[in-house]
Amino acid sequence: MILVTGATGLVGSHLLLHLLQQEESNVRAIYRNPLSIDKTKHVFELHNALALFERIQWQQADILDVPALEEAFKEITHVYHCAAMVSFDPKEEKILRKTNIEGTANIVNLCIAYPVVKLCHVSSIAALGESLHPSTPITEKTDWNPELYHSDYALSKFGGEMEVWRGTQEGLDVIIVNPGVIFGRGFYREGSSELLYKVHQGFPFYTAGTTAVVSVEDVVFCMRQLMQSEHKNERYILVSANLENRELLHFIATMLNKKPASFEIGRFGLALAWRLDAFISLLTRKKRSFTRAIAKASLSRFNYDASKIEQILSFQFTSYKDFLVEISKSFK
């Protein structure tokens, strides 16, 4: 039986759909809040697959609740660990690390205890090393430099990977995938879709950085193929394209019939923006919407090389133009 954590998120919900479309018969999915299951159901509705949705075996659990996880792990042979917290708010550093590191450690420990045949861990390009020059591609072997600045989110995902690699030392077979910014249908005010919402609202600014993008369908396809293969104890970058931020925003604006962003905001403007956001958050006690980490990421210019997965699976990523066209139609 297959277990999927984070089953009510973008990757988890699309993974469930893909597994059931590929006639996987025994799939168990973890949820925390019963209301969140509606998000996954909506994804199945978009694909006219409600009959498949009814075949999911749902079980309430939290990756930080070991007793509940033990119940969920009964009879499980393969685990897709999609659950994670994404936040760039400094106030959420503790819960971010607890979820992404301790929660992953719990999953790894139970995989070893039961034992599970194979684990697929969804990490992030944020957990990869950084090249010192923009022209040097980042690969799966690029070294992590602890001396460089890393966001709390990046540190938490890197820490989560360390727990997974620990599992390999104890005999667990694993696959790690490092996707870029994942785009998909069904989550219209969350994650990457927030970018579409901002463009739709007429957000006028862009930065000189780049963004690595990939479709959620490509991510889940690669995950299942790797889990079914003999490959193990390896990580794989999943990126369709490395785009200039201006190019990405302009394309989305065109698809949404909106005016494209026309004002470049530089390092000084970004520094003012995240400090102003911190001040407003302090006064209103609202969650931060623009932080130093986001400002730094918006100026980063990294080139992620996904040729390893393309060669291993003889696979070609979907063009960003193709998947963003479909997502934009659904968004409208």
Side-chain angles (χ1 to χ4, degrees):
M1 177 173 279
I2 295 171
L3 178 66
V4 177
T5 73
T8 59
L10 177 64
V11 174
S13 59
H14 282 82
L15 175 62
L16 288 174
L17 174 65
H18 181 68
L19 292 173
L20 292 166
Q21 286 176 330
Q22 299 304 312
E23 300 183 354
E24 296 283 6
S25 57
N26 296 307
V27 181
R28 182 177 298 157
I30 287 177
Y31 72 95
R32 289 187 300 169
N33 185 338
L35 296 178
S36 64
I37 295 177
D38 288 339
K39 297 179 181 179
T40 304
K41 186 176 182 180
H42 179 55
V43 169
F44 279 72
E45 287 175 336
L46 289 172
H47 293 82
N48 298 314
L50 282 179
L52 294 178
F53 176 81
E54 299 301 328
R55 291 166 51 187
I56 301 170
Q57 182 185 126
W58 290 98
Q59 184 145 347
Q60 190 166 21
D62 188 302
I63 61 173
L64 296 176
D65 183 351
V66 174
L69 280 178
E70 289 177 337
E71 288 296 315
F73 262 81
K74 290 181 178 178
E75 301 179 353
I76 295 298
T77 59
H78 293 76
V79 175
Y80 291 88
H81 181 38
C82 308
M85 180 179 179
V86 180
S87 175
F88 296 95
D89 189 337
K91 297 177 183 177
E92 296 183 326
E93 176 189 0
K94 290 185 179 179
I95 184 61
L96 185 70
R97 296 195 183 205
K98 189 175 183 65
T99 301
N100 294 346
I101 300 177
E102 182 181 324
T104 300
N106 291 338
I107 295 297
V108 169
N109 292 339
L110 288 170
C111 284
I112 295 169
Y114 268 77
V116 164
V117 175
K118 201 170 186 180
L119 164 68
C120 178
H121 172 62
V122 182
S123 186
S124 166
I125 55 172
L128 298 170
E130 296 181 358
S131 58
L132 298 179
H133 195 278
S135 63
T136 304
I138 294 175
T139 71
E140 290 82 355
K141 294 183 178 180
T142 302
D143 291 331
W144 173 277
N145 187 345
E147 300 300 321
L148 298 177
Y149 169 80
H150 299 283
S151 68
D152 293 329
Y153 171 69
L155 290 169
S156 73
K157 294 303 287 185
F158 178 78
E161 282 196 17
M162 292 303 99
E163 292 296 336
V164 176
W165 293 129
R166 170 182 62 81
T168 66
Q169 299 302 309
E170 300 183 44
L172 177 63
D173 289 346
V174 309
I175 289 292
I176 295 179
V177 293
N178 298 86
V181 178
I182 305 172
F183 285 87
R185 295 193 293 163
F187 292 75
Y188 302 117
R189 288 300 306 274
E190 300 178 30
S192 60
S193 290
E194 184 69 21
L195 183 61
L196 277 78
Y197 180 77
K198 287 183 177 180
V199 173
H200 187 268
Q201 295 297 102
F203 190 72
F205 302 107
Y206 69 91
T207 62
T210 59
T211 300
V213 301
V214 66
S215 75
V216 69
E217 287 83 6
D218 284 351
V219 171
V220 300
F221 173 84
C222 291
M223 289 168 64
R224 182 173 182 268
Q225 291 297 308
L226 289 168
M227 284 288 274
Q228 290 192 321
S229 73
E230 295 181 357
H231 300 288
K232 62 181 181 179
N233 304 341
E234 296 278 352
R235 71 194 321 193
Y236 300 88
I237 293 174
L238 305 182
V239 168
S240 170
N242 298 278
L243 302 174
E244 296 282 343
N245 289 339
R246 184 177 186 180
E247 178 185 4
L248 175 60
L249 292 171
H250 189 280
F251 185 80
I252 293 174
T254 302
M255 293 300 98
L256 297 178
N257 298 318
K258 296 294 179 178
K259 183 179 179 180
S262 54
F263 298 101
E264 180 179 350
I265 182 169
R267 194 176 303 276
F268 179 73
L270 290 170
L272 288 177
W274 73 257
R275 286 176 170 84
L276 178 60
D277 182 81
F279 180 69
I280 293 174
S281 176
L282 182 64
L283 291 178
T284 64
R285 297 187 178 182
K286 290 183 178 180
K287 185 176 180 178
R288 295 284 301 276
S289 60
F290 193 76
T291 65
R292 179 191 177 193
I294 295 175
K296 183 179 183 298
S298 70
L299 290 174
S300 65
R301 299 185 60 83
F302 296 125
N303 178 23
Y304 295 92
D305 181 1
S307 59
K308 179 179 178 180
I309 189 69
E310 292 176 326
Q311 294 170 5
I312 290 292
L313 298 183
S314 298
F315 171 75
Q316 184 174 359
F317 285 95
T318 307
S319 166
Y320 77 93
K321 293 183 177 180
D322 291 336
F323 66 72
L324 283 178
V325 165
E326 293 304 313
I327 294 168
S328 297
K329 289 179 181 178
S330 180
F331 181 87
K332 289 192 292 185

